[in-house]
Amino acid sequence: MHKLNRLIQLLFFAVLVKPLVLIILGLNIRNKKGLPMEGPAVIMANHNSHLDTMVLMSLFPLRKMHKVRPVAAADYFLKNRWMAWFSLKIIGIIPLERTGKADRDTLFNECHDALDKGEILVLFPEGSRGLPDQMSTLKKGVYHLIKDRDDVSAVPIVMNGLGFALPKGEGLLVPVNVDVIVGQAIDHSPNADVFIDSTTKAFTQLKEFCITKQS
């Protein structure tokens, strides 16, 4: 990351994001020590809000921030010049094409480059934001990304509450309590179905530790 962009990123998270997360959102974090502080690694999280990425990145020390790379939809985050600059240069996303035209190897080229550099990817295996605090069926992209990479750990994280703090289609932030539950790395699996099943079970188990879930 260019030095100026990295400085802007540090200021953005130090002055805006971290205070917002700590003051406006009440975080209940379980097993924070399970966060991968060194790559190559993949964080797999559920996805209900644009705040998901900000909260996950805010859990890392500022000195590590440039090594955390969210994987995000190119058609949304690169749709105009300002958003593209902010997403690529400040947040540090890896844009992923959702057109279905790219073959799998090409699709993940930039992800593999980042992992080769020891970076930590943030992926949302549901594929897109769902209803507040409801899990959708997981897609197989993470499996295909790491299936030949025994050097990469895949850590599941369940978040609860952010779908109500800034739900899809809303622009007003609502103060709420939020759970962030970090799990143990998922074992590499012989096929996609086994991996998806293991990950789904891990998400379900982690959800049980959420104190903000609706009864």
Side-chain angles (χ1 to χ4, degrees):
M1 181 179 287
H2 189 278
K3 288 183 178 180
L4 177 59
N5 292 332
R6 185 177 177 188
L7 176 60
I8 297 173
Q9 182 194 55
L10 290 174
L11 290 173
F12 174 70
F13 277 91
V15 175
L16 182 62
V17 176
K18 281 181 175 282
L20 181 148
V21 169
L22 291 173
I23 297 172
I24 298 181
L25 300 178
L27 287 190
N28 165 46
I29 306 174
R30 185 182 179 95
N31 190 34
K32 187 176 180 179
K33 66 176 185 282
L35 278 173
M37 289 294 166
E38 302 292 339
V42 169
I43 288 173
M44 304 180 294
N46 60 317
H47 195 22
N48 290 143
S49 168
H50 277 318
L51 288 176
D52 294 339
T53 298
M54 298 293 100
V55 168
L56 287 171
M57 293 185 71
S58 74
L59 300 178
F60 288 85
L62 290 173
R63 69 181 186 280
K64 297 280 188 179
M65 201 73 67
H66 67 292
K67 302 289 284 185
V68 183
R69 305 289 306 282
V71 179
D75 57 290
Y76 184 88
F77 288 95
L78 305 186
K79 62 184 178 182
N80 62 59
R81 183 179 299 179
W82 155 248
M83 184 175 286
W85 173 81
F86 182 77
S87 300
L88 293 169
K89 304 301 183 182
I90 307 306
I91 304 302
I93 73 163
I94 296 175
L96 196 69
E97 297 290 344
R98 297 194 295 187
T99 60
K101 296 179 181 179
D103 64 87
R104 191 176 293 154
D105 291 335
T106 303
L107 183 68
F108 292 130
N109 274 347
E110 194 169 349
C111 292
H112 284 299
D113 288 343
L115 292 172
D116 289 341
K117 295 174 184 175
E119 296 180 340
I120 301 163
L121 306 189
V122 176
L123 292 104
F124 300 102
E126 293 167 284
S128 60
R129 287 172 293 156
L131 296 174
D133 298 334
Q134 294 184 27
M135 288 290 299
S136 302
T137 302
L138 305 186
K139 295 179 169 57
K140 299 178 180 179
V142 178
Y143 167 79
H144 292 298
L145 171 63
I146 68 171
K147 67 183 180 71
D148 295 321
R149 300 203 55 146
D150 292 335
D151 60 325
V152 177
S153 61
V155 178
I157 295 180
V158 163
M159 294 177 288
N160 202 77
L162 288 171
F164 296 104
L166 189 64
K168 186 175 182 178
E170 297 294 331
L172 182 63
L173 177 62
V174 179
V176 296
N177 291 321
V178 175
D179 291 298
V180 180
I181 315 297
V182 183
Q184 302 298 319
I186 302 294
D187 291 335
H188 283 245
S189 304
N191 61 64
D193 290 335
V194 173
F195 182 81
I196 292 299
D197 184 60
S198 298
T199 305
T200 301
K201 288 179 179 177
F203 279 142
T204 301
Q205 292 168 356
L206 294 175
K207 186 83 169 178
E208 293 302 311
F209 293 104
C210 294
I211 62 176
T212 63
K213 63 182 179 180
Q214 302 295 308
S215 59

